[in-house]
Structure formats: C-alpha cells, structure tokens
Amino acid sequence: MPERRDYIPENNRSPQETAFVAPCSFFISLGLHAIAILLTILIVQSLPSKGTVNGNSDDRTVGIVFSKEEGYTSPEETLRIAGGTESASDSPEDAPASSPADSLMPSLDAVGLNASGTPNDTNAPAGNSPAAALLPGTGESGSGSGQGDGQSVGFASLRGKGRKFVYVLDHSESMKWPDGQAMTKAIAEAKKSLLSLDPVQGAKKFQVICYNHEVKVFDAGRLLDVTEPNKQRACKFLDTLFPEGGTDPLAALEKAVTFRPDVIFFLTDADEEIPSANLARIHDAAVRNKVGQIHVFEFRRSGAPEKKSFARLAADNGGGYFCELLP
C-alpha cells in the first residue's frame, strides 16, 4: 500500500523539496509559452493571402491606401506654385504666355489704328471719314461714370479712366481754320471735359497744357485738386487762348508725362507726321513715368493725307485715336 503523504505547506518544506519544485515550474511555463507561439504561427500561415468577394478569388492585396482628394493641395505643392516653380506639365498647353507689358502696351497690329487700353473697345478705321476709339461707356464728350479705379471721363469722342488727368491742346496758328472753328471746338471740348471731373466719382487731380512753338502750363505747373474753383479758373485760362505761332508737340507731350497722370488727352491739327524717333521718346518717357493712357484727337483738313503717326502715338501708349475732318 503506497505511503500516504500529507500536503506540506511551502514554508514547511525541506530545502531538498524546494530545490526540486522551482526548476520544474520554470520549465513547465516555458513549454506552455512555446506551444502558444507555435500555434499562433500555424494559424497565421493557414490564413489565405487573397480575399474572397462573393465567392470569387480576388487578387487585390490587402493594405491601407492613402489617396489625395480632388481639390487638395499639399503644403509642398502650395509653396512650389506660389514660388513660380510650377513646371510646364502642370499647366494647360494652350495657356497663353503673357507679361504685364503685353497687357499695358497693345501693339498697333493688335488694335488697329484705333487703340485703347481696355478690351473689347469699338475701333473705327482712320481715313477720309471720322474715326474714333472709345473706352467703355458713352462717347459723348464730358460725360463720366465713377468706379473703383477712378472716373471714366469723355473728351470729344474719346474716353479715359483714371484719377489724374492732363489736357494737352494745340493752339498754333493753323488752329484758326476754318474761320476759327478748330480752336473754338478744342476749347469747348476741353472745358466740357474739365467740368465733368468729379472727385466723388474718382477724379482727384488735373492739369492743362497748351502749346504752339512754346509750352504753357496752367497754374505754376503742378497737378491741381479737382475742385469747382480750380476747374473754373482752368476754363478761364482756356478762354484766353488764340491761334498763333508754330507747333512743337514733342515738348508738350514730354512735359505732360512728367506729371505722371493716368490719362492724357492730346489734341492737335499738326500737318506733319511725328517722326519715329520722337514717338519712341514719348513712349519711353510714358513708361518711365507710369502714364496709363495717351488719347489723341486730330483735326484734319478735308482731302488732306492721312497721318498715321498720330494713331500710332495712341496705340503705343494704350490710348484711343479720333480724327475729325473739317472743310
């Protein structure tokens, strides 16, 4: 009959018994952990690497896909585009290449004889009949409409928009024909346009320059505030003009651009063309002084040859050209 051994508490075991039990417990625990790891590996290897959708094998690999939503721009792309480093492949092939100079200085070929600084202008060809280039708005002289960029102001059949305006009028001897009509109309149109300037609509400054072989600048040669007293004084100055002397449009225009106006209205009846070198000088001076537009109004004797340089002067400087025939 086997010998009965009662349970002996751990603290009552002999040193020999304690030395035997401790190693056995360690190896048993180690074996159980090894079996658990092995079973886990076997289960994972037995799982299919391909999914099944509706009973069919799917060759797609399981994983996480990071997608870019439409319209999202990463910070790197934002910095690249803002810095102007966007490659040609990022933009449409038919995107036009342009520069600020292209929009500010239209060529004569692009705008014809009647050019203006605003798209979709109405341009009529110069020839033996009156021709006009009008900026948006009515072509009636002196009428104006105000917007954020300044006032749209009419002069004869031309129109310019801005905050600072300079009027340049020819009063050479030739302006007395026929029976003083040219000079009379020039003064009337200038006064009508001046009186339409309105600071509420955006016109802030103006000046008047009259020329023959000399240049006369109204009121000490400075831009004047658009006020009723200043406009009335300018109109009285215009009333003192009468046709006399020769003509030097280059000196008058070079003086006008130094005021850095947004708009220059230039009126003349010069019989001679403006030389190409002078046109270049005026254009360069206008660019340096950031002149917005030079509009040209020409009186021409009926039957006189066409003078293309006046139309070119307007086209080169973002303005409109109008020719009125007188008998």
Side-chain angles (χ1 to χ4, degrees), residues 147-203:
Q147 294 184 11
D149 296 331
Q151 183 180 358
S152 178
V153 177
F155 176 77
S157 297
L158 299 169
R159 180 166 292 279
K161 184 177 181 181
R163 299 181 182 275
K164 297 181 291 184
F165 297 82
V166 173
Y167 298 84
V168 181
L169 273 66
D170 183 352
H171 73 110
S172 61
E173 186 175 3
S174 60
M175 287 287 289
K176 67 183 179 182
W177 63 266
D179 300 325
Q181 290 184 30
M183 192 75 253
T184 300
K185 182 165 185 177
I187 294 173
E189 295 291 357
K191 290 170 63 176
K192 188 175 183 181
S193 182
L194 272 170
L195 293 173
S196 74
L197 297 178
D198 185 357
V200 175
Q201 297 187 57

Side-chain angles (χ1 to χ4, degrees), residues 261-310:
D262 299 313
V263 177
I264 294 176
F265 290 121
F266 173 64
L267 182 147
T268 185
D269 75 330
D271 292 329
E272 298 180 358
E273 294 274 15
I274 301 176
S276 297
N278 289 354
L279 289 174
R281 284 179 56 178
I282 296 168
H283 173 70
D284 291 343
V287 172
R288 286 196 308 270
N289 289 279
K290 299 181 181 180
V291 176
Q293 307 158 11
I294 299 179
H295 300 276
V296 179
F297 185 98
E298 178 194 357
F299 284 121
R300 186 190 306 164
R301 297 177 187 268
S302 180
E306 176 184 343
K307 295 185 288 295
K308 295 182 179 180
S309 60
F310 293 112

Side-chain angles (χ1 to χ4, degrees), residues 191-224:
K191 290 170 63 176
K192 188 175 183 181
S193 182
L194 272 170
L195 293 173
S196 74
L197 297 178
D198 185 357
V200 175
Q201 297 187 57
K204 301 301 182 183
K205 301 284 186 178
F206 77 96
Q207 183 53 270
V208 178
I209 297 175
C210 298
Y211 75 96
N212 46 23
H213 57 279
E214 297 178 339
V215 177
K216 298 178 182 179
V217 182
F218 173 62
D219 197 5
R222 59 186 174 86
L223 285 176
L224 304 174

Side-chain angles (χ1 to χ4, degrees), residues 17 20 33 35 41 75 79 143 154 203 229 232 249 260 265 275 285 311:
E17 291 175 321
F20 173 78
H33 281 83
I35 293 172
I41 294 174
L79 292 175
S143 59
Q232 292 297 333
R260 304 170 70 88
F265 290 121

Side-chain angles (χ1 to χ4, degrees), residues 38-52 57-58 62:
L38 179 62
L39 290 175
T40 302
I41 294 174
L42 293 175
I43 293 172
V44 171
Q45 289 181 343
S46 66
L47 293 175
S49 60
K50 299 178 183 180
T52 302
S57 177
D58 191 350
V62 177

